[in-house]
Amino acid sequence: MLKTINSFKPAILAAIVILFWFSTGASESPNYPPEPDSHIIQDVFSDSMLRQYTVSASDILDSEKRYQSGAALITICDSLWLCIEPAEIPADEFTRDDSLRFEKLMREGMRHIGGNLEIDPKLREISPRAYKLRSEDITFVLFELQKQAIKEFFQAKRINPYNIDVEVLAFQETYQKLKKYSHRDNWISYAPEFLHLIEKCNWLPYEARDIYILKGDIYSDLKQWQKAFENYEQAYQMVAGTIYPIGVDSVYAEKMDSIASRAFIAEERQKMANVRIEESMEFISLSDSLYDFYKYVSDSIEALSISYYDSLFAKKLMEKALERISPGQTLGRKQFNNIRKRKLELHKEDIHAVSKELLLIAETGFLDAKQLDPFDLRIRLNLMNSLYARIAERYNDLAYHQKAADEMEHLLWAKKDRAMYYYHLGISYKKLGKWEDAYRNFKQAENVLRKTSLLSGQIENREAYFDAPDTAPVDTLQLYKFIMFQAEAQRRMYDGKISLALYRYAFNLAPNAEQRRIVQNEIDWINWDDGNIRASEVLDSAKAYYDEQNFNDAKRVYLKLLDMLWTGRTTNEVNWRIAMIDFNDLENFAEGLVRMRKVIDSISLDSTSLADNILYPRYLRNYGEMCYNSAMRYVRDEDKLHAYVYLSQAAAIEWYGRPKSNLELAKLSSFDPDEAIRLCELALNERHYLGPDDVRQIAKLMSESYRKQANFRLAREWHTKSQDKRWLASQNMVTSK
């Protein structure tokens, strides 16, 4: 009753004023004040107040009743939401009283939405467990309460369009709560009905702009980008032009409007730009899916290896893509029609072309967004990171790396206090191979990071660093990244000294053991020839040829590398690699042996040289293998003299094959029992390198040699050992090298 009286207060007051005026003698001629202007009357009696007189009293009461009913439902929703919002009431503070209160709210909400045939079965299911306050049950009730509240608000607006409580802002807030209080699928399914109710309402002229914005928001949520854009554009056109605020000189207003147009953008244009961005991101996502399938097809050995489900998914993607595009920048009309005809055949070339066309369409959308809102720096970031980088990397188009760099240069013109902007610009120059520019921007990113660390809000006791801001701690993870890229840029510019210093600094900043291992590998790579980076690059090239089994080219590059080296240590290593290729892969046995012998001879056995040549044991082992294999080749050719010489050389080297070399020498020396016994004993001294068959052969040789010496007792003993499996097993024999 009080609310009804309050709604009539303006009319009652006006009636009292008129009656008082007549009772005090309206016929006299008082000194009237000057007649006010019409806009002053509008200030005293607001539009909404005056227009209420055109609606009947019953409609006003009915509208107010509907509004209050909807507001009550919203209040229940807001209270129930606290029950499932963890940030509002922590679990450990949830008391029994809270539980009872929320159960009461739950049942009250269910009572309000009851009577609907569609949802009554669900309510009957929820009712017995309402006290449990399950999240999914509360979400269902919240959604239905919101729908009921929205209907009440729309009814209130239709009955009384001039109700100042039911303005567009109320519907906007209600729509946002509808999204907040329900699952996405629920409010997306309800959005068309919401739009239908908007169309049925009687909106006042001054509300049209807000309605267009609300409809644009809903269409954006529905991902109907074109309709969203059209509604935002309609809203913008309604306010386009210079606005003259009351009491402001028109010349001054035009001047300020001109300045404002260069400083900020209207809300409608911002929303229009955002629609273009969201639409472009959809094109990028669709392009990514097609490109992933293109790579999958390219990597597959046979078309039959592609599963049926993958193929079906790709066909749906192609159909969806072809619905969204038309003949454009890379697809001519003829090619586009051909692709449409054979879209279900999934040709790799078609997938590749459509994927690229989608990205180019997305580029057009981003450029439109930039035109609509040139002040939104995020548009340029998305344009660079999400689009130009993809086009450049997928289609090997360096022009797009340059476009990305140009966009970032523009960003830095406006924002010089963002370290990540310099970092992204450095990445673009890195991909363009402009290493000096890349290093300059990575270095600037580090400088900006240090100077703005106090502004990050992540430092405790910031006041302590105000007098010396350069000493403030910085984000070490970002700093590590910037330093690593600086080091890489210096390495690409072949400055070994600076790059080594930067890598050592990065090693101390590395966040974990894996990153420290990566940095250490870079340091070792540069230090391979004492900072001779070009030599390290050529070494990698030769190794790549070798891994591809292109041995002649590998040898050619290694021979070229010999003229570039700075140290004897690396010279020995490269000669060793050439010798191994000659002997093992190209079968240039003599050339390989000669080069390997030079490597062994070039290394003196003093401690300093050995410390500098950590590969020396490996050189000895490989030289021993070469000698042993050469000897065995001569044994097969029955050239015992050359075989004996190479076996003697192999036995003179300390390596895992020395006992076997002595065994083979003992076989060749069987005519001399004393020498054969001596060689067999030498072999047995390193029996841990021998296998069971090798030890058995030694035992037989010892038995034969002692028999030749007429030492039959020892001959029998060794013969028995050669047949005794238990003795052979007791020799602690291992076959590892």
Side-chain angles (χ1 to χ4, degrees):
M1 184 65 183
L2 288 174
K3 290 181 179 177
T4 305
I5 293 173
N6 287 334
S7 64
F8 282 93
K9 274 184 179 179
I12 294 170
L13 290 173
I16 292 171
V17 170
I18 294 170
L19 289 172
F20 179 77
W21 183 69
F22 276 103
S23 65
T24 55
S27 59
E28 299 180 3
S29 300
N31 294 323
Y32 294 111
E35 184 176 349
D37 294 335
S38 61
H39 70 271
I40 297 178
I41 294 176
Q42 289 180 356
D43 289 340
V44 177
F45 298 99
S46 64
D47 288 346
S48 59
M49 185 186 298
L50 293 174
R51 281 195 288 253
Q52 280 191 10
Y53 297 125
T54 63
V55 182
S56 67
S58 60
D59 286 345
I60 293 174
L61 288 173
D62 194 12
S63 175
E64 183 66 19
K65 182 179 178 181
R66 294 278 189 177
Y67 169 74
Q68 294 298 338
S69 174
L73 296 177
I74 295 295
T75 302
I76 296 174
C77 288
D78 292 341
S79 300
L80 266 179
W81 176 249
L82 298 177
C83 184
I84 58 174
E85 178 57 41
E88 299 293 343
I89 301 181
D92 56 350
E93 298 180 13
F94 200 87
T95 65
R96 177 172 176 77
D97 290 339
D98 291 328
S99 179
L100 293 173
R101 179 164 57 90
F102 285 124
E103 181 186 352
K104 183 179 178 181
L105 287 170
M106 183 78 167
R107 295 195 181 279
E108 185 179 354
M110 293 168 62
R111 180 176 59 79
H112 278 289
I113 61 176
N116 187 333
L117 294 177
E118 294 182 2
I119 65 172
D120 274 352
K122 180 70 174 177
L123 290 176
R124 285 194 293 271
E125 178 187 342
I126 294 174
S127 183
R129 61 172 186 255
Y131 69 94
K132 294 183 178 180
L133 299 175
R134 291 170 51 170
S135 176
E136 58 270 23
D137 294 343
I138 296 175
T139 302
F140 173 79
V141 172
L142 284 174
F143 179 62
E144 294 299 330
L145 283 172
Q146 285 289 329
K147 287 171 58 177
Q148 188 67 29
I150 288 170
K151 289 180 181 178
E152 295 290 344
F153 286 155
F154 274 112
Q155 286 295 330
K157 186 66 176 176
R158 289 182 64 190
I159 295 169
N160 180 15
Y162 309 110
N163 190 334
I164 59 175
D165 292 321
V166 194
E167 292 187 332
V168 179
L169 181 61
F171 290 97
Q172 291 172 335
E173 292 177 352
T174 307
Y175 181 68
Q176 293 303 321
K177 287 183 178 180
L178 182 73
K179 293 166 59 176
K180 177 181 177 182
Y181 294 160
S182 61
H183 295 299
R184 174 179 170 80
D185 292 342
N186 287 341
W187 62 260
I188 283 295
S189 64
Y190 181 66
E193 185 176 344
F194 195 93
L195 284 167
H196 178 67
L197 291 171
I198 290 176
E199 297 294 346
K200 288 174 64 177
C201 252
N202 299 319
W203 303 102
L204 299 176
Y206 70 88
E207 296 176 313
R209 171 182 171 272
D210 294 332
I211 286 299
Y212 280 126
I213 293 176
L214 177 57
K215 289 167 66 177
D217 292 342
I218 298 172
Y219 281 122
S220 292
D221 291 332
L222 292 171
K223 298 187 183 301
Q224 297 182 20
W225 306 117
Q226 188 57 38
K227 289 185 177 180
F229 187 86
E230 290 171 357
N231 277 279
Y232 290 140
E233 190 173 27
Q234 286 284 348
Y236 176 68
Q237 289 176 357
M238 297 188 72
V239 295
T242 304
I243 300 174
Y244 300 99
I246 296 174
V248 177
D249 181 72
S250 60
V251 176
Y252 186 77
E254 290 179 359
K255 181 180 179 181
M256 291 301 101
D257 185 73
S258 175
I259 295 174
S261 65
R262 300 191 299 272
F264 48 82
I265 295 298
E267 177 189 3
E268 294 82 3
R269 285 176 66 90
Q270 293 177 4
K271 289 180 176 288
M272 290 159 67
N274 191 60
V275 166
R276 285 287 181 250
I277 293 172
E278 294 295 334
E279 186 178 23
S280 298
M281 294 302 291
E282 277 196 359
F283 281 116
I284 291 174
S285 177
L286 185 55
S287 173
D288 288 348
S289 299
L290 280 173
Y291 189 76
D292 288 342
F293 185 78
Y294 167 77
K295 290 194 298 182
Y296 175 51
V297 172
S298 301
D299 295 340
S300 299
I301 299 174
E302 298 178 357
L304 295 176
S305 63
I306 302 171
S307 71
Y308 168 78
Y309 295 104
D310 289 335
S311 177
L312 184 63
F313 179 67
K315 289 175 182 178
K316 290 182 178 179
L317 286 176
M318 280 292 284
E319 289 178 354
K320 184 177 179 181
L322 291 171
E323 288 174 0
R324 301 290 300 275
I325 66 177
S326 56
Q329 299 182 45
T330 58
L331 292 178
R333 183 169 297 279
K334 183 177 180 180
Q335 183 185 7
F336 178 76
N337 291 333
N338 289 335
I339 291 175
R340 289 185 62 182
K341 290 177 183 177
R342 57 174 184 256
K343 62 184 177 183
L344 299 181
E345 299 176 18
L346 297 178
H347 291 289
K348 287 195 302 182
E349 298 78 10
D350 294 347
I351 298 172
H352 189 273
V354 172
S355 175
K356 184 174 183 180
E357 182 65 22
L358 287 167
L359 290 181
L360 295 177
I361 294 172
E363 180 187 12
T364 303
F366 273 121
L367 294 176
D368 287 347
K370 189 171 69 171
Q371 194 75 18
L372 288 164
D373 189 0
F375 303 118
D376 191 348
L377 302 183
R378 295 172 302 168
I379 296 175
R380 295 181 183 275
L381 279 175
N382 283 327
L383 187 62
M384 188 192 72
N385 291 336
S386 301
L387 189 66
Y388 288 157
R390 279 177 169 81
I391 297 176
E393 291 171 6
R394 290 180 187 175
Y395 310 107
N396 196 26
D397 193 339
L398 291 180
Y400 279 91
H401 280 314
Q402 187 61 55
K403 284 186 176 183
D406 293 342
E407 289 294 335
M408 190 50 65
E409 290 281 11
H410 187 93
L411 278 175
L412 287 171
W413 176 80
K415 289 280 187 181
K416 292 182 172 61
D417 60 339
R418 303 294 177 88
M420 291 305 295
Y421 289 1
Y422 287 102
Y423 164 75
H424 287 303
L425 181 56
I427 292 294
S428 295
Y429 283 127
K430 170 180 176 287
K431 291 174 179 177
L432 285 167
K434 297 181 178 180
W435 294 107
E436 290 184 8
D437 292 332
Y439 172 76
R440 185 182 70 252
N441 282 283
F442 290 137
K443 181 64 177 176
Q444 187 62 21
E446 177 196 353
N447 295 337
V448 172
L449 179 66
R450 293 183 184 279
K451 291 178 180 178
T452 59
S453 61
L454 280 177
L455 305 176
S456 64
Q458 301 176 355
I459 300 176
E460 296 181 358
N461 299 323
R462 291 194 300 168
E463 295 80 2
Y465 301 100
F466 285 170
D467 294 334
D470 293 339
T471 63
V474 299
D475 185 342
T476 54
L477 192 60
Q478 278 197 336
L479 183 60
Y480 165 74
K481 183 165 58 176
F482 297 161
I483 297 298
M484 281 292 287
F485 279 111
Q486 288 179 47
E488 182 186 2
Q490 288 293 338
R491 175 169 64 80
R492 293 302 188 107
M493 291 189 286
Y494 303 106
D495 194 323
K497 186 176 180 180
I498 295 178
S499 60
L500 272 175
L502 288 167
Y503 276 125
R504 290 186 178 115
Y505 182 29
F507 183 87
N508 296 325
L509 296 170
N512 52 51
E514 177 62 21
Q515 295 299 320
R516 285 191 290 274
R517 184 188 63 80
I518 292 172
V519 178
Q520 187 60 52
N521 288 342
E522 295 289 345
I523 293 173
D524 295 341
W525 185 86
I526 294 173
N527 274 332
W528 178 72
D529 192 34
D530 286 358
N532 186 355
I533 295 176
R534 285 186 172 85
S536 297
E537 287 184 341
V538 176
L539 176 69
D540 287 346
S541 175
K543 287 180 178 179
Y545 279 126
Y546 186 83
D547 292 340
E548 295 169 359
Q549 298 187 353
N550 195 343
F551 303 120
N552 285 307
D553 284 337
K555 179 181 177 180
R556 174 180 56 78
V557 176
Y558 277 129
L559 289 171
K560 173 186 175 183
L561 179 58
L562 285 173
D563 298 330
M564 302 172 59
L565 298 174
W566 293 353
T567 65
R569 171 179 53 79
T570 52
T571 300
N572 288 329
E573 181 181 341
V574 172
N575 275 317
W576 161 66
R577 292 181 182 277
I578 296 172
M580 294 297 291
I581 291 174
D582 278 331
F583 193 90
N584 294 331
D585 303 307
L586 299 179
E587 297 185 355
N588 298 330
F589 303 117
E591 189 176 345
L593 270 168
V594 170
R595 189 178 292 274
M596 197 68 229
R597 182 69 240 180
K598 288 181 179 179
V599 172
I600 299 298
D601 293 340
S602 68
I603 303 175
S604 63
L605 298 181
D606 63 273
S607 59
T608 303
S609 296
L610 287 175
D612 290 341
N613 289 274
I614 58 175
L615 291 176
Y616 184 66
R618 189 169 182 180
Y619 298 161
L620 288 176
R621 186 184 74 191
N622 291 147
Y623 181 55
E625 290 171 345
M626 288 181 180
C627 292
Y628 180 84
N629 291 332
S630 297
M632 299 311 295
R633 194 166 57 253
Y634 282 118
V635 167
R636 288 192 296 271
D637 294 341
E638 298 184 354
D639 186 344
K640 294 185 178 180
L641 178 60
H642 281 88
Y644 195 87
V645 172
Y646 279 113
L647 284 171
S648 298
Q649 179 65 75
I653 300 171
E654 186 177 353
W655 67 298
Y656 71 89
R658 182 163 63 180
K660 207 160 187 176
S661 300
N662 282 320
L663 171 60
E664 295 299 330
L665 281 172
K667 291 179 183 178
L668 292 176
S669 303
S670 58
F671 60 89
D672 184 349
D674 293 337
E675 181 65 11
I677 290 171
R678 185 185 72 82
L679 290 169
C680 285
E681 289 176 344
L682 287 174
L684 283 174
N685 289 338
E686 298 177 300
R687 68 188 70 189
H688 52 280
Y689 286 127
L690 297 172
D693 290 339
D694 297 328
V695 176
R696 186 179 291 109
Q697 290 181 47
I698 290 174
K700 288 181 179 180
L701 277 172
M702 293 286 277
S703 177
E704 291 174 3
S705 298
Y706 280 122
R707 191 176 69 246
K708 288 178 182 180
Q709 290 179 338
N711 191 339
F712 299 111
R713 182 181 62 81
L714 290 177
R716 282 194 302 273
E717 287 182 7
W718 281 103
H719 178 73
T720 302
K721 289 179 179 179
S722 70
Q723 303 298 319
D724 187 353
K725 293 182 179 180
R726 182 176 297 178
W727 179 83
L728 292 173
S730 68
Q731 298 305 297
N732 191 27
M733 296 168 293
V734 295
T735 58
S736 65
K737 299 179 181 180

